Amino acid sequence: MNVLVLNCGSSSLKYQLIDMNTRSVLAKGICEKIGIEGSSLTHKPTGKEQLVVNQPMPDHKAAVKLVMDALLDKKYGVVKSMNEIQAVGHRVLHGGKFYSGSILINDDVKRVIRECFDLGPLHNPANLIGIEACESLMGSTPQVAVFDTAFHQTMPEKAYLYALPYEYYEKYAIRKYGFHGTSHWYVSGRAIEFGKLDKKKSKVIVAHLGNGASISAVVGGKCVDTSMGLTPLEGLVMGTRSGDIDPAVVQYIANKEKRSVDDVLNILNKKSGVLGISGVSSDFRDLEAAAKSGNKLAQTAFDVFVYRVAKYIGSYVAAMNGVDAIAFTAGLGENNGAARKAICDYLGYLGIKLSAKKNQIRGEEVVISTPASKVKVLVIPTNEELAIAMETVKIVKKLKK
Ligand code: AMP
């Protein structure tokens, strides 16, 4: 079965066409600057030359059309007709409290995605346009929604409830939802499998450390807590996001700088995090280079980031009353051994011992702790596209039964 995985961001669309019989990627690519001047498609068919199309894309529908054309193209294409794509899996940001799993898309599902526009204002509208574009271009091909929030729906009330007047939860569904769910699900599952942990009882912490960063506590394969909240702003320090701060800071900056709450939220989302502290970059590679050449604030930003991750790990060990494994994933978690070491240096009290040699291995699943370590530490490369395709196949197979 060939599954097309679509991930529509606010102004981008990432895609992969995966042959699920062999789990191989037939083609992948990205449309950038959708709705903005200078939009382009970069299409990478496996084993063929890449195609770059610079062409205006006024909306996500135009982008989906361009992707389909590329997939079917005589020279750069990988399928001969649309019938060779048997299903589409959509990454959808917010499913509110309505979905705790992936679901076949119908009118009800689209209504819920629409109802969650307020909760995911940048992504949910783009996700819905992507879905409707596929409906109009692909007719009855089954489409599945895989929600970023779904894996975290098993959190207990004590973890997801904010200590606000309860009526706000009842009236507006204000609570912690959590994000990066597909990655936390995939990586915790692989950590249990690869780390040979008990499927029902193991206590795993997943640290998804990329430009966006989040952490989750998973008991027996089910999420019991996670760091992101109502929106992906809460929790860890990120590339450009502040993560946890005293909410009074918002009012304080608004008053001092004579800015609106929306403006301050924009600062917390786009101009804060390691970029905000360092003034150098949101990319940890730039930060590392700047720190090495003596930029003190770049080093401080790295230290603040690492410290926050270590504190969250400590709090999740307390929440689960123990931990069997910690799994690092995403751009930084997979590639930056120095960050992993710095985080684990805080965790000596847990009996964690890293193998300096194993901590250098890249691009594969690996246990980076020594056999003497009381907690297994792993690197598990995340694969959100494959996870979405796996979910899609699961739902479509049920449909056929
Ligand atoms: P992601 O959002 O998962 O793509 O992760 C992006 C972050 O991962 C950026 O801050 C990068 O600096 C970091 N990253 C990605 N690749 C590498 C690498 N090869 N070495 C160090 N950091 C990396």
Side-chain angles (χ1 to χ4, degrees):
M1 186 188 287
N2 291 336
V3 177
L4 176 63
V5 176
L6 287 190
N7 179 358
C8 294
S10 49
S11 64
S12 69
L13 184 165
K14 289 188 205 146
Y15 64 95
Q16 281 195 11
L17 183 64
I18 305 177
D19 175 348
M20 288 303 284
N21 298 330
T22 56
R23 294 202 171 180
S24 52
V25 176
L26 301 176
K28 63 179 172 181
I30 183 166
C31 298
E32 292 171 285
K33 298 194 175 174
I34 300 169
I36 312 171
E37 207 176 315
S39 28
S40 67
L41 159 77
T42 307
H43 171 73
K44 296 180 179 167
T46 306
K48 293 184 182 179
E49 226 180 291
Q50 85 167 27
L51 165 73
V52 178
V53 182
N54 294 305
Q55 182 177 312
M57 284 176 239
D59 53 30
H60 284 77
K61 186 168 181 190
V64 172
K65 173 83 177 69
L66 220 56
V67 170
M68 296 299 179
D69 290 346
L71 291 170
L72 291 166
D73 189 84
K74 275 213 175 94
K75 185 169 173 201
Y76 301 97
V78 289
V79 287
K80 292 200 178 64
S81 90
M82 218 72 111
N83 296 337
E84 289 178 46
I85 302 172
Q86 281 88 17
V88 185
H90 294 266
R91 179 180 186 180
V92 181
L93 182 81
H94 223 303
K97 60 179 177 184
F98 303 101
Y99 296 118
S100 56
S102 308
I103 187 152
L104 187 75
I105 295 171
N106 58 22
D107 286 346
D108 274 347
V109 177
K110 286 197 285 178
R111 183 178 45 75
V112 169
I113 295 173
R114 205 172 284 117
E115 274 173 21
C116 293
F117 275 9
D118 271 356
L119 292 169
L122 294 181
H123 293 83
N124 272 38
N127 299 150
L128 189 61
I129 295 173
I131 289 167
E132 290 181 335
C134 287
E135 282 175 344
S136 75
L137 293 166
M138 301 176 81
S140 58
T141 304
Q143 300 194 58
V144 172
V146 181
F147 295 95
D148 246 32
T149 47
F151 180 63
H152 305 301
Q153 279 293 306
T154 47
M155 278 189 288
E157 197 180 36
K158 65 184 175 189
Y160 70 67
L161 214 51
Y162 292 124
L164 294 169
Y166 194 71
E167 61 179 296
Y168 295 140
Y169 170 62
E170 292 177 310
K171 278 203 284 193
Y172 309 123
I174 295 176
R175 48 160 283 182
K176 182 187 270 287
Y177 288 99
F179 297 87
H180 292 142
T182 315
S183 177
H184 286 282
W185 166 70
Y186 177 82
V187 171
S188 58
R190 288 301 311 149
I192 291 170
E193 186 96 11
F194 183 73
K196 298 188 178 62
L197 305 173
D198 188 309
K199 278 197 176 119
K200 293 209 171 112
K201 291 196 216 135
S202 59
K203 297 168 179 174
V204 177
I205 293 174
V206 175
H208 177 113
L209 309 179
N211 194 22
S214 65
I215 187 159
S216 65
V218 181
V219 178
K222 294 208 164 24
C223 177
V224 294
D225 208 342
T226 193
S227 58
M228 283 178 168
L230 174 76
T231 75
L233 181 56
E234 189 182 343
L236 302 179
V237 174
M238 305 180 215
T240 64
R241 285 173 246 170
S242 64
D244 298 339
I245 54 157
D246 178 348
V249 167
V250 175
Q251 183 201 39
Y252 204 80
I253 298 177
N255 288 344
K256 290 278 179 201
E257 295 269 319
K258 311 237 173 318
R259 307 284 281 268
S260 68
V261 169
D262 281 7
D263 281 351
V264 180
L265 258 291
N266 196 40
I267 293 166
L268 297 188
N269 267 306
K270 303 212 172 123
K271 297 187 175 159
S272 301
V274 293
L275 167 70
I277 296 174
S278 68
V280 172
S281 170
S282 62
D283 192 302
F284 280 87
R285 285 165 287 202
D286 302 336
L287 219 56
E288 223 175 353
K292 271 191 191 136
S293 63
N295 184 319
K296 284 219 169 75
L297 281 177
Q299 184 60 47
T300 304
F302 182 80
D303 294 345
V304 172
F305 171 84
V306 163
Y307 180 65
R308 179 81 55 90
V309 177
K311 280 209 298 188
Y312 259 94
I313 291 176
S315 72
Y316 286 171
V317 174
M320 296 193 291
N321 193 13
V323 61
D324 297 308
I326 298 170
F328 288 98
T329 194
L332 182 80
E334 290 169 31
N335 293 300
N336 192 320
R340 290 192 299 258
K341 180 176 181 312
I343 292 163
C344 289
D345 280 348
Y346 279 100
L347 306 173
Y349 70 99
L350 291 173
I352 285 181
K353 292 190 170 62
L354 279 198
S355 152
K357 201 170 154 204
K358 293 266 176 68
N359 192 31
Q360 285 175 3
I361 297 173
R362 274 185 178 188
E364 60 184 86
E365 293 180 344
V366 56
V367 176
I368 58 169
S369 50
T370 67
S373 181
K374 290 211 173 102
V375 177
K376 266 189 189 157
V377 184
L378 306 103
V379 175
I380 304 280
T382 193
N383 193 336
E384 289 171 273
E385 290 78 16
L386 178 62
I388 291 170
M390 283 160 67
E391 285 288 284
T392 303
V393 169
K394 199 167 81 190
I395 301 278
V396 172
K397 280 198 171 153
K398 267 194 220 155
L399 195 68
K400 288 188 174 154
K401 273 189 188 157

